[in-house]
Each structure stands twice: as structure tokens, then as C-alpha cells.
């Protein structure tokens, strides 16, 4: 009896169709990102500039994140109140603050510390002690 | 723990654990992103990684995530035989993934590019092996759950734990997408 209730309760969560579509979409997104990088590395002059390729790869990864959250982890399909979704949103905010914040602070630090060897040598020479 | 409300509370608790694990991985990703170019005169990602090799790893883990989902479908339909089949397949794919990862670590270390070589490699090994440790824990858990399912069948408790295990496994696949994209693909540019 309990298993019947449980099965009903979870029934809205996933079906063969959602798993298959999630799987196919994930493979397509993975291969697309791979193909862009592979072609770029193996062509003589490169295909696109890094300024274009890096955001493109990140966007494809985030797209796959959404695909898997939706089709494999069934986010957004729970009944209200949506505690799982709220915990996820909170985690995403923390993740973004940690990652973007670290990159921002460290690149700013590098800039101010003139961390490239040429710049440091130039600075030392300008001090006249060498 | 037989009523649906208690079940859903238990799953939410496990979900919150997964979200804290996200934060752990985020700090390791941030460390890697900051130290990415600090190679200390050593080789960078473009010289070290083999893209087809990493693609193989990625597709194996993705397939195991899919077979794990099919295992959960069978669990909800109450077919013990199918559950054991799909989870055994997931287990084998997981072992194959872990084997490939360890062989890559071995190759890098044998070439003298271990975690002591540079800041970039320290960050790389910390991030990727933390994921590998999670995979190892997931495999152990999966072995235990297959044993319990084989012995006692698909009881409510077993199905609940299998659901948590599948959430854990899908989560590790999501983390790997970012390792694949940020560490390997962007690193190869």
C-alpha cells in the first residue's frame, strides 16, 4: 500500500521520455562544445578568437546544466512550497558570488601588482638599483 | 518513514546536502580559475590534455547518468530485476570513468607533471580528484544499495535511498560538465 502511494507521489517526476530527451540534448550540447574547440585547435589559424570561444563554451555548459536540472533532477516539478528550488537558487547565488568575486579580486590584484615579468623588470630598472 | 510527506522531507534534506556540495566545488573552481595561468614555466592545459580522451570520459559519465535514471524508472515500476540490471550497468560505467581518470593522473605524474609542479597543476588535481573521490563514494554506495536491493527487494526505504543515490549521481554528472568545459575545453584553447 505504502509503495503505491509513493509511486503516485513520485509519478510526476520522470518518465522514459524525459530521460531520453535529456540524454540526447546533453550529448548534442557536449559534442557541439567539443567540436568548436577541436576544430579551433586543429585548424592552422584558429576559427574564432578566444574572446568569442570562451563565452560560447560557458553558455553551452550552462545550457546543459539547465537541461540536466530539468530532465534528470526534475527541478521545478515539485509541489509548493518549492523548498528544493529555493535551496538551488540560494546555492547558485553563493556560487556566482564566490566564482565571479574571486576572479574579479584576483585580476584586479594582478593588474595593480603588475605581475607580468616584463612590467616588474621595467619597474625595477626605473628604480635605478639594478 | 512510510508516508509521502516524510519521504519528501528526507529527499529535501539530501538535496540541501547537494547544494552545500555545490559551494565546495564552486570554491575549487574559483581557485582553479584564478591559478589557471600560473604554470611556473611548466606546461599548461593545451600541452597536457588530450581532448578525445576527455570526451570519452565525458560520454561515459553522461551515459551512466542516463542508465541511473532508467534504474530509477524501474524502481518506481517495482521491477527489482531491471533495477539491478540498470544500476549494475551504471556501476560498470562509473568504474570505467574512474579508471580513465586515474590513468590520466598516472600519465601526468609519470611525466613529472604532478600537483607539486605548479599552481595550475595543484588546482587542477585538487578540483578533479575531489570529483573523483565523490565518484568513488558514489560507487561504494551503489554497491551497497545493489546488495540491499538484491536481498530485501524494493522496500520503501530502499527506493528512497536509491532516489537519493540517483540524485547524487546526476549531480556529479552536472559538476563534470563544468570540469569538462572549464578545465579541459577552455584549457585546451
Amino acid at each position: 500500500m505504502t509503495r503505491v502511494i509513493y509511486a503516485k507521489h513520485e509519478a510526476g517526476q520522470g518518465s522514459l521520455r524525459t530521460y531520453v530527451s535529456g540524454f540526447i540534448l546533453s550529448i548534442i550540447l557536449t559534442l557541439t562544445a567539443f567540436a568548436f574547440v577541436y576544430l579551433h585547435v586543429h585548424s592552422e589559424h584558429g576559427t574564432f578568437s578566444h574572446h568569442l570561444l570562451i563565452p560560447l563554451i560557458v553558455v553551452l555548459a550552462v545550457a546543459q546544466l539547465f537541461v540536466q536540472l530539468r530532465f534528470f533532477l526534475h527541478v521545478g516539478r515539485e509541489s509548493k512550497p518549492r523548498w528544493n528550488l529555493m535551496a538551488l537558487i540560494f546555492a547558485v547565488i553563493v556560487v556566482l558570488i564566490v566564482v565571479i568575486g574571486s576572479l574579479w579580486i584576483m585580476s584586479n590584484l594582478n593588474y595593480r601588482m603588475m605581475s607580468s615579468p616584463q612590467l616588474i623588470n621595467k619597474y625595477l630598472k626605473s628604480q635605478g638599483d639594478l | 518513514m512510510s508516508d509521502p510527506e516524510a519521504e519528501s522531507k528526507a529527499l529535501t534534506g539530501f538535496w540541501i546536502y547537494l547544494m552545500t556540495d555545490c559551494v565546495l566545488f564552486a570554491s575549487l573552481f574559483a581557485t582553479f580559475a584564478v591559478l589557471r595561468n600560473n604554470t611556473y614555466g611548466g606546461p599548461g592545459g593545451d600541452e597536457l590534455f588530450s581532448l578525445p580522451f576527455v570526451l570519452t570520459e565525458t560520454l561515459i559519465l553522461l551515459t551512466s547518468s542516463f542508465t541511473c535514471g532508467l534504474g530509477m524508472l524501474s524502481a518506481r515500476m517495482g521491477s527489482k530485476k531491471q533495477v539491478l540490471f540498470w544500476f549494475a550497468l551504471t556501476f560498470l560505467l562509473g568504474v570505467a570513468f574512474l579508471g580513465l581518470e586515474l590513468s590520466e593522473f598516472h600519465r601526468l605524474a609519470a611525466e613529472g607533471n604532478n600537483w607539486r609542479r605548479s599552481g595550475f597543476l595543484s588546482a587542477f588535481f585538487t578540483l578533479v580528484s575531489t570529483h573523483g573521490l565523490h565518484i568513488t563514494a558514489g560507487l561504494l554506495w551503489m554497491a551497497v544499495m545493489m546488495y540491499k536491493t538484491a536481498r530485501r527487494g524494493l522496500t520503501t526505504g530502499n527506493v528512497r535511498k536509491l532516489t537519493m543515490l540517483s540524485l547524487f549521481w546526476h549531480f556529479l554528472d552536472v559538476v563534470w560538465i563544468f570540469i569538462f568545459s572549464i578545465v579541459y575545453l577552455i584549457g585546451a584553447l
Side-chain angles (χ1 to χ4, degrees), chain B residues 45-134:
Chain B
D46 50 340
E47 297 163 60
L48 290 177
F49 306 138
S50 151
L51 285 178
F53 183 86
V54 186
L55 182 69
T56 316
E57 281 182 292
T58 307
L59 292 178
I60 288 176
L61 198 63
L62 183 59
T63 312
S64 85
S65 194
F66 176 61
T67 55
C68 177
L70 295 183
M72 277 324 295
L73 280 184
S74 328
R76 289 195 194 111
M77 288 191 263
S79 164
K80 177 174 142 183
K81 241 177 155 178
Q82 283 187 32
V83 170
L84 288 175
F85 170 75
W86 288 120
F87 275 96
L89 196 58
T90 311
F91 185 83
L92 290 178
L93 289 166
V95 169
F97 171 84
L98 200 61
L100 285 177
E101 188 164 80
L102 288 175
S103 81
E104 187 194 32
F105 285 177
H106 179 74
R107 178 177 63 83
L108 289 175
E111 289 166 357
N113 297 314
N114 59 15
W115 49 92
R116 293 160 70 178
R117 182 73 184 80
S118 64
F120 156 69
L121 281 165
S122 298
F124 165 79
F125 275 104
T126 312
L127 172 59
V128 180
S129 60
T130 303
H131 179 267
L133 267 180
H134 278 74

Side-chain angles (χ1 to χ4, degrees), chain B:
Chain B
M1 279 260 260
S2 53
D3 64 307
E5 198 179 331
E7 293 290 341
S8 111
K9 270 184 192 161
L11 288 178
T12 301
F14 190 73
W15 181 259
I16 287 170
Y17 153 68
L18 289 181
M19 294 304 105
T20 58
D21 231 18
C22 274
V23 177
L24 165 72
F25 278 110
S27 57
L28 295 178
F29 269 109
T31 310
F32 177 83
V34 165
L35 294 175
R36 202 161 77 83
N37 296 316
N38 299 17
T39 52
Y40 196 54
D46 50 340
E47 297 163 60
L48 290 177
F49 306 138
S50 151
L51 285 178
F53 183 86
V54 186
L55 182 69
T56 316
E57 281 182 292
T58 307
L59 292 178
I60 288 176
L61 198 63
L62 183 59
T63 312
S64 85
S65 194
F66 176 61
T67 55
C68 177
L70 295 183
M72 277 324 295
L73 280 184
S74 328
R76 289 195 194 111
M77 288 191 263
S79 164
K80 177 174 142 183
K81 241 177 155 178
Q82 283 187 32
V83 170
L84 288 175
F85 170 75
W86 288 120
F87 275 96
L89 196 58
T90 311
F91 185 83
L92 290 178
L93 289 166
V95 169
F97 171 84
L98 200 61
L100 285 177
E101 188 164 80
L102 288 175
S103 81
E104 187 194 32
F105 285 177
H106 179 74
R107 178 177 63 83
L108 289 175
E111 289 166 357
N113 297 314
N114 59 15
W115 49 92
R116 293 160 70 178
R117 182 73 184 80
S118 64
F120 156 69
L121 281 165
S122 298
F124 165 79
F125 275 104
T126 312
L127 172 59
V128 180
S129 60
T130 303
H131 179 267
L133 267 180
H134 278 74
I135 292 279
T136 313
L139 287 173
L140 287 175
W141 189 7
M142 210 178 285
V144 171
M145 282 319 297
M146 282 193 290
Y147 173 76
K148 285 175 83 165
T149 309
R151 284 211 49 185
R152 298 200 197 108
L154 292 167
T155 59
T156 322
N158 278 351
V159 174
R160 184 180 69 242
K161 284 169 201 146
L162 283 171
T163 311
M164 289 176 184
L165 174 60
S166 74
L167 285 178
F168 186 64
W169 202 254
H170 293 317
F171 166 75
L172 291 182
D173 189 36
V174 173
V175 173
W176 182 261
I177 297 165
F178 284 92
I179 295 185
F180 173 66
S181 305
I182 289 168
V183 176
Y184 291 104
L185 289 185
I186 293 182
L189 286 177

Side-chain angles (χ1 to χ4, degrees), chain A residues 2-3 5-7 9-11 13-17 19-23 26-27 30-31 33-34 36-38 40-42 50 53-55 57-58 60-62 64-65 68-69 72-75 78 83-85 87-89 91 94-95 98-99 102-103 106 110, chain B residues 2-4 7-8 11-13 15-16 18-20 22-23 26-27 29-31 33-34 36 51-52 55 58-59 62-63 65-66 68-70 72-73 75-76 78 154-156 159-160 163 166-168 170-171 173-174 177-178 180-182 184-186 188-189:
Chain A
T2 49
R3 193 182 312 147
I5 294 169
Y6 185 58
H9 176 66
E10 298 285 294
Q13 292 215 337
S15 65
L16 188 59
R17 235 180 98 174
Y19 281 114
V20 172
S21 22
F23 186 50
S26 296
I27 287 185
T30 301
L31 290 179
F34 177 81
F36 271 113
V37 173
Y38 195 78
H40 178 81
V41 173
H42 285 83
H50 290 187
L53 273 174
I54 292 176
I57 293 165
V58 174
L60 285 169
V62 173
Q64 196 172 160
L65 167 72
Q68 298 214 0
L69 282 177
F72 287 175
L73 290 157
H74 318 298
V75 166
E78 56 179 335
W83 298 118
N84 291 7
L85 188 64
L88 176 70
I89 292 170
V94 173
V95 166
V98 168
V99 173
S102 304
L103 283 171
M106 293 311 286
N110 278 343
Chain B
S2 53
D3 64 307
E7 293 290 341
S8 111
L11 288 178
T12 301
W15 181 259
I16 287 170
L18 289 181
M19 294 304 105
T20 58
C22 274
V23 177
S27 57
F29 269 109
T31 310
V34 165
R36 202 161 77 83
L51 285 178
L55 182 69
T58 307
L59 292 178
L62 183 59
T63 312
S65 194
F66 176 61
C68 177
L70 295 183
M72 277 324 295
L73 280 184
R76 289 195 194 111
L154 292 167
T155 59
T156 322
V159 174
R160 184 180 69 242
T163 311
S166 74
L167 285 178
F168 186 64
H170 293 317
F171 166 75
D173 189 36
V174 173
I177 297 165
F178 284 92
F180 173 66
S181 305
I182 289 168
Y184 291 104
L185 289 185
I186 293 182
L189 286 177

